[in-house]
């Protein structure tokens, strides 16, 4: 009767919305009684006076959580219809099913109060426009949100407690399966072989992409396990992808570790304004629970760390990282840094067919910050300089000294570690003492019990922090090398030059060896041309500067020095080209290209450096001077030479004529011109 008293004609004239929701699809499948009870609300709406055509069922939100409006399309429709004044009453099995977020809940109640919309559930009929009903509905929404938090915290606490013991079951990566409460390696030999093949190929190829290529070349397949649906639990074999390789190499379960909390949920605000929860990968130090040696793995924990570091070093989107080892012949690829801008130097192959590689920094030029590249140096001299330094540095004596220094560091680290362990032992004693004091107190004495509990928790927290600090110290600072490893290192130092130059050692192997010893190399220009300085940063922290003179280019290599040009200039004063060639050959000198000197070579040197030929003898005239003297053209003079009237001399073949004219020849030429009928001399000496 109370419920019917609040229902007025204005409510019955509008539609009645029955909102149906279950939080998860599992509840929809397994708890069908709740869904059936919600559909039965249609009969209740009919009994309260709404006609069947006025009743609207909103059931598209089945399997959706009520914590937010995200993905709840029917709830959005309901809010819109209420705001338009089209809804007379909202039916729900429980009012908190409408929303478990106070923000969404109070927004809906405010709209219902403005549009005179009723909220009806199993407990009664509520009019949000009335203060008492609004207060009750507000408290119900608050309790619903608090209940959601309590349930989530209770479930999550149970999961953490079970995960701390390594008993929480979750989906395992392919190659590992659950055997009761234990994680074991998959009994399928093909699956085990495929997983081990990934780790073995990565040890050889050093890149995830190289593993994918080798898998495809060998025609191998890689499995994945299906979860959910008709294929739940079955293995599906297919092509290995790059993302799968990265997932396998970065998964600590393959190293025998039980890890909980690698992925954690975080809320983000979408551009549309909606708040969504996304799962993101956490860094290793933020994993909630890590239990090493929990089960048998495919690789060791040390190899897992090495694989992670190698993947991080293979990244190409960081300028300070060396990048992966490539197949090219350039030894220092990825290790060189520009001394001008600090960026990595790239490799460029020039020449016919790319047979002349160079190291080049083009970042500023590419970004239009400079008109040309910062650095451009040939690769061969740099590679050879580092190779020579590496071979000379790796000797048994230096290795033995390094191992002795490492042994001293190990002893020092052991002493420091002993101090850490004694400190942890004291903190553990204090935590146990605080626990005994808490257990000995009377539970009825709440004031003292609360204080002792706080001290116990503080002692446990200090113990946990100290253990975490010790783990970080051992991982980052402490050094440990076994005697067998030291013996192998000494043996390698004795055979290192032969190993480095062996034809079976590939370029990739040399690059891997180099990166074990050298962190990076900064290239700077020297004050002199063709001088660069290599600032080598070794892995141990030492630095070294190697000056290097670059080879000259072809034009500079065949250019004659100034001293030689000066000598040719001196010899050209009184020697012909042929005489100069004879002198140089007698001295055993050769041209810039290594060939014997020729007249053409001497002639080119004189032309290039503008060296004049030997001057003609005193009193001799040239062809032009003879023509001017007798007032005839050059053709006449050459006619005289061809007929033997004039007998000139030459300082070199095809060189200029040197003509000597005595008194008899002078009289003969004048007579020739006077008797000629077609020569008209213009020289004043002839006409005078």
């Amino acid at each position: 009767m109370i419920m019917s008293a609040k229902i007025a004609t204005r409510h019955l004239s509008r539609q009645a919305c029955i909102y149906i929701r279950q939080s998860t699809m599992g509840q929809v499948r397994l708890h069908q009684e709740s869904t059936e009870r919600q559909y039965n609300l249609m009969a209740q709406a009919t009994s309260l006076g709404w006609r069947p055509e006025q009743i609207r069922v909103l059931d598209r939100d089945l399997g959706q959580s009520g914590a937010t409006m995200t993905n709840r399309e029917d709830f959005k429709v309901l809010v819109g219809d209420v705001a338009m004044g089209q809804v007379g009453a909202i039916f729900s099995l429980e009012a908190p099913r409408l929303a478990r977020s106070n923000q969404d809940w109070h927004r809906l109640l405010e709209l219902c109060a403005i549009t005179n919309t009723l909220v009806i559930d199993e407990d009664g009929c509520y009019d949000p426009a009335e203060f008492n009903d609004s207060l009750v509905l507000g408290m119900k929404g608050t309790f619903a949100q608090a209940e959601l938090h309590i349930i989530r915290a209770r479930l999550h606490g149970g999961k953490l407690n079970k995960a701390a013991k390594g008993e929480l079951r979750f989906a395992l990566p392919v190659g590992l399966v659950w055997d009761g409460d234990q994680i074991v390696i998959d009994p399928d030999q093909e699956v085990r072989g495929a997983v081990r093949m990934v780790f073995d190929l990565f040890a050889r190829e050093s890149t995830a992409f190289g593993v994918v290529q080798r898998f495809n070349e060998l025609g191998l397949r890689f499995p994945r396990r299906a979860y959910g649906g008709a294929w739940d639990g079955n293995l599906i074999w297919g092509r290995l992808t790059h993302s799968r390789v990265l997932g396998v190499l970065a998964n600590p379960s393959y190293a025998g570790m039980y890890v909980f909390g690698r992925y954690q949920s975080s809320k983000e605000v979408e551009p549309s304004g909606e708040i969504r929860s996304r799962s993101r990968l956490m860094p290793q130090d933020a994993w909630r629970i890590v239990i090493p040696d929990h089960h048998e793995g495919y690789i060791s924990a040390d190899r897992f760390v090495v694989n992670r570091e190698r993947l991080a070093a293979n990244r190409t989107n960081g300028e300070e990282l060396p990048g992966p080892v490539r197949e090219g012949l350039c030894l220092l690829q990825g290790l060189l840094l520009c001394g001008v801008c600090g960026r990595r130097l790239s490799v460029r192959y020039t020449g016919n067919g790319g047979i002349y590689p160079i190291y080049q920094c083009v970042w500023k030029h590419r970004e239009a910050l400079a008109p040309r590249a910062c650095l451009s140096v040939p690769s061969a001299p740099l590679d050879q300089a580092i190779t020579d330094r590496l071979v000379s540095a790796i000797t048994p004596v230096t290795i033995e000294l390094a191992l002795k220094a490492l042994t001293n560091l190990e002893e020092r680290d052991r002493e420091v570690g002993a101090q850490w362990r004694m400190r942890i032992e004291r903190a553990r004693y204090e935590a146990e003492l605080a626990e005994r004091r808490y257990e000995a107190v009377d539970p009825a004495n709440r004031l003292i019990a609360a204080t002792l509990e706080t001290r116990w928790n503080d002692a446990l927290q200090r113990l946990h922090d100290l253990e975490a600090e010790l783990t970080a110290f051992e991982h980052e600072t402490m050094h440990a090398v076994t005697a067998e490893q030291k013996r192998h290192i000494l043996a390698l130092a004795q055979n290192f030059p032969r190993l480095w130059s062996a034809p079976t050692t590939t370029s990739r192997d040399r690059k891997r060896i180099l990166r074990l010893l050298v962190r990076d190399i900064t290239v700077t220009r020297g004050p002199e041309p063709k001088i660069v300085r290599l600032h080598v940063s070794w892995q141990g922290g030492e630095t070294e500067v190697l000056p290097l003179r670059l080879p000259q280019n072809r034009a500079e290599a065949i250019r004659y020095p100034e001293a030689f040009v000066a000598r040719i200039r001196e010899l050209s004063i009184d020697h012909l080209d042929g005489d100069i060639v004879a002198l140089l050959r007698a001295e055993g000198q050769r041209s810039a290209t290594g060939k014997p000197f020729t007249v053409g070579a001497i002639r080119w040197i004189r032309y290039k450096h503008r060296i004049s030929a030997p001057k003609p003898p005193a009193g001799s005239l040239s062809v032009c001077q003879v023509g001017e003297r007798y007032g005839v053209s050059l053709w006449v003079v050459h006619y005289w030479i061809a007929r033997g009237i004039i007998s000139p001399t030459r300082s070199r073949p095809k060189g200029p004529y040197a003509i000597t004219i005595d008194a008899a020849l002078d009289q003969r030429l004048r007579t020739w011109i006077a008797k000629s009928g077609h020569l008209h001399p213009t020289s004043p000496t002839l006409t005078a």
Side-chain angles (χ1 to χ4, degrees), residues 380-397:
L382 272 65
D383 293 350
Q384 187 61 41
I386 296 300
T387 297
D388 296 341
R389 183 66 187 95
L390 198 64
V391 172
S392 63
I394 305 301
T395 62
V397 176

Side-chain angles (χ1 to χ4, degrees), residues 536-572:
V536 183
S537 177
W538 300 92
Q539 290 290 358
E542 298 292 331
T543 58
E544 183 180 3
V545 179
L546 300 178
L548 176 64
R549 179 176 294 275
L550 298 177
Q552 297 177 334
N553 55 34
R554 182 63 178 172
E556 294 174 344
I558 63 176
R559 182 177 294 123
Y560 290 99
E562 291 296 332
F564 183 81
V565 175
R567 189 183 180 198
I568 297 297
R569 192 184 304 276
E570 181 181 355
L571 292 175
S572 298

Side-chain angles (χ1 to χ4, degrees), residues 35-155:
T35 307
E36 184 178 350
R37 290 177 60 198
Q38 295 183 67
Y39 278 109
N40 289 338
L41 293 175
M42 298 174 59
Q44 183 181 2
T46 304
S47 64
L48 292 176
W50 274 275
R51 298 188 303 275
E53 62 271 12
Q54 290 180 295
I55 301 173
R56 183 180 181 184
V57 178
L58 303 175
D59 56 0
R60 289 187 299 172
D61 292 345
L62 283 170
Q64 299 292 339
S65 173
T68 62
M69 291 181 60
T70 305
N71 297 329
R72 289 205 294 158
E73 299 299 329
D74 270 352
F75 183 77
K76 296 177 183 179
V77 172
L78 177 63
V79 173
D81 290 348
V82 169
M84 297 293 292
Q86 300 176 359
V87 181
I90 303 174
F91 286 82
S92 179
L93 195 62
E94 300 170 2
R97 285 185 181 270
L98 294 173
R100 289 187 180 269
S101 168
N102 279 339
Q103 181 181 5
D104 299 338
W105 176 244
H106 287 287
R107 182 186 296 112
L108 178 62
L109 292 183
E110 185 177 359
L111 292 175
C112 290
I114 295 174
T115 59
N116 293 320
T117 302
L118 302 178
V119 178
I120 303 174
D121 63 5
E122 284 190 331
D123 295 332
C125 178
Y126 305 95
D127 186 358
E130 296 183 5
F131 174 76
N132 290 332
D133 289 354
S134 177
L135 179 63
V136 172
L137 290 174
M139 293 177 62
K140 280 192 171 187
T142 303
F143 288 154
Q145 188 172 16
E147 179 186 14
L148 186 65
H149 170 75
I150 293 171
I151 293 175
R152 184 185 292 113
R154 187 181 302 160
L155 294 175

Side-chain angles (χ1 to χ4, degrees), residues 404-416:
K404 288 181 179 179
L406 185 59
T407 303
N408 295 333
L409 290 177
E410 292 176 359
E411 294 177 355
R412 186 199 65 181
D413 291 342
R414 280 194 292 268
E415 294 176 359
V416 176

Side-chain angles (χ1 to χ4, degrees), residues 349-463:
Y349 294 90
T350 62
N352 187 13
I355 59 176
Y356 300 111
I358 61 174
Y359 295 120
Q360 194 174 48
C361 177
V362 295
W363 179 79
K364 280 192 172 183
H365 180 62
R366 185 176 64 245
E367 299 295 330
L369 299 177
R372 61 182 63 87
C374 301
L375 283 173
S376 182
V377 293
S379 64
L382 272 65
D383 293 350
Q384 187 61 41
I386 296 300
T387 297
D388 296 341
R389 183 66 187 95
L390 198 64
V391 172
S392 63
I394 305 301
T395 62
V397 176
T398 57
I399 291 295
E400 188 172 358
L401 292 175
L403 291 178
K404 288 181 179 179
L406 185 59
T407 303
N408 295 333
L409 290 177
E410 292 176 359
E411 294 177 355
R412 186 199 65 181
D413 291 342
R414 280 194 292 268
E415 294 176 359
V416 176
Q419 292 296 119
W420 271 97
R421 282 185 285 274
M422 287 188 290
R423 184 180 177 187
I424 290 177
E425 187 64 29
R426 183 181 297 275
R428 185 177 290 109
Y429 168 75
E430 293 177 356
E432 293 175 354
L433 180 61
E435 181 182 6
R436 290 195 299 269
R437 288 175 178 175
Y438 173 73
E439 292 176 349
V441 74
D442 185 3
N445 195 347
R446 296 180 178 273
L447 296 177
I448 298 179
T451 302
L452 294 177
E453 184 181 9
T454 302
R455 293 177 180 176
W456 183 23
N457 291 333
D458 293 342
L460 288 176
Q461 185 62 38
R462 284 195 299 272
L463 176 61

Side-chain angles (χ1 to χ4, degrees), residues 607-620:
Y607 170 76
K608 179 67 177 178
H609 298 278
R610 298 184 178 182
I611 300 175
S612 302
K615 295 182 179 180
S620 61

